Amino acid sequence: MLGAILDVAGSWKARLDHARLKRRWAGLRAKGMHLGQGVNLPASTWIDDPLCFLISIGDWCGFGEQCLILAHDGQMDEFLDAGLIGKVTIHESCHFGSRTVILPGVEVGPRTIVGANSVVAKSLPPDTVCAGAPAKVICSLDEYLDRHRERIASTRLLPWTEYKLDALQPRQIQEILSAVEHGPAYLTGGFSEELKGLGGTERTAYDSTAKPYGVQYLKERNHRIKGS
């Protein structure tokens, strides 16, 4: 009985959290912040609310838990009686690891990946993978993707449709433990399922006017290269 009550309570909490998240997105847009399509902006991402109109986030961007996006810096205020404010422009398909701090006056991307716990103090170039405090370029996006493609070709793959992380059964847990016993494995197909509306990451609404997401962009780019 208690388990059934907790299940119902959990379901209602999930609905409430979803509604609150959508209300937050709408509120930021109403205050002048550009929040693109297909964006994963969790409730734990701290936004410089009074100055959110200085912040722009492009289509398909994603943020790990507890990221901070700042449009002002008041550390010098006591000494100079002045605080710094600046735009933050994040272009499409940028992804930030958990607890990344993005400072005012920076431009990121497009298609830039930033490692967890990084501090984005200066603008970062497109099509790169960056990390550190301050964040610096580690490699190109193509180099990063090629490394993962090689690993995917020789590593066990776990289809997302068979291993949904919010509903794993004991057998599936044991299979995942077996798959990662000698190193990381890959869950595949999750983003494709999201595009079909079949669950996964909560994103802002999107339609055909959104910028090309990663797979689309790479296909179009490769087609242009072959045709040139």
Side-chain angles (χ1 to χ4, degrees), residues 3-200:
I5 293 174
L6 291 175
D7 287 342
V8 171
S11 176
W12 277 104
K13 181 180 183 302
R15 294 182 185 183
L16 178 61
D17 289 344
H18 177 71
R20 291 175 63 184
L21 190 59
K22 291 184 68 174
R23 182 178 180 184
R24 185 193 188 208
W25 294 341
L28 291 170
R29 284 171 168 155
K31 293 177 182 178
M33 176 174 155
H34 175 74
L35 181 58
Q37 302 187 53
V39 175
N40 167 27
L41 187 70
S44 68
T45 301
W46 190 90
I47 302 289
D48 205 336
D49 196 87
L51 295 170
C52 68
F53 57 88
L54 294 176
I55 299 170
S56 175
I57 300 175
D59 299 345
W60 304 113
C61 289
F63 298 83
E65 295 294 331
Q66 299 180 354
C67 290
L68 278 72
I69 307 177
L70 300 167
H72 85 283
D73 180 357
Q75 291 179 309
M76 73 295 293
D77 195 9
E78 178 186 347
F79 304 97
L80 300 177
D81 196 21
L84 179 146
I85 61 174
K87 290 183 178 180
V88 175
T89 302
I90 301 170
H91 291 280
E92 69 269 17
S93 297
C94 291
H95 296 273
F96 301 87
S98 297
R99 297 185 178 178
T100 293
V101 179
I102 304 169
L103 298 181
V106 302
E107 184 173 359
V108 181
R111 298 170 301 278
T112 296
I113 294 175
V114 181
N117 288 310
S118 295
V119 178
V120 182
K122 295 183 179 180
S123 296
L124 300 175
D127 301 298
T128 57
V129 176
C130 306
K136 297 180 180 178
V137 175
I138 302 300
C139 65
S140 72
L141 178 62
D142 282 337
E143 291 170 333
Y144 173 81
L145 296 178
D146 284 343
R147 286 203 296 268
H148 283 285
R149 286 191 188 100
E150 290 178 4
R151 294 173 185 171
I152 288 172
S154 60
T155 303
R156 181 173 176 182
L157 306 181
L158 304 169
W160 185 86
T161 53
E162 298 177 20
Y163 297 90
K164 295 182 179 180
L165 301 184
D166 59 350
L168 291 174
Q169 301 300 313
R171 172 185 58 80
Q172 295 168 314
I173 292 173
Q174 288 302 315
E175 291 172 351
I176 292 174
L177 287 170
S178 176
V180 302
E181 184 175 357
H182 301 294
Y186 288 86
L187 281 167
T188 61
F191 184 72
S192 298
E193 293 300 305
E194 286 181 22
L195 294 178
K196 298 175 185 176
L198 298 177

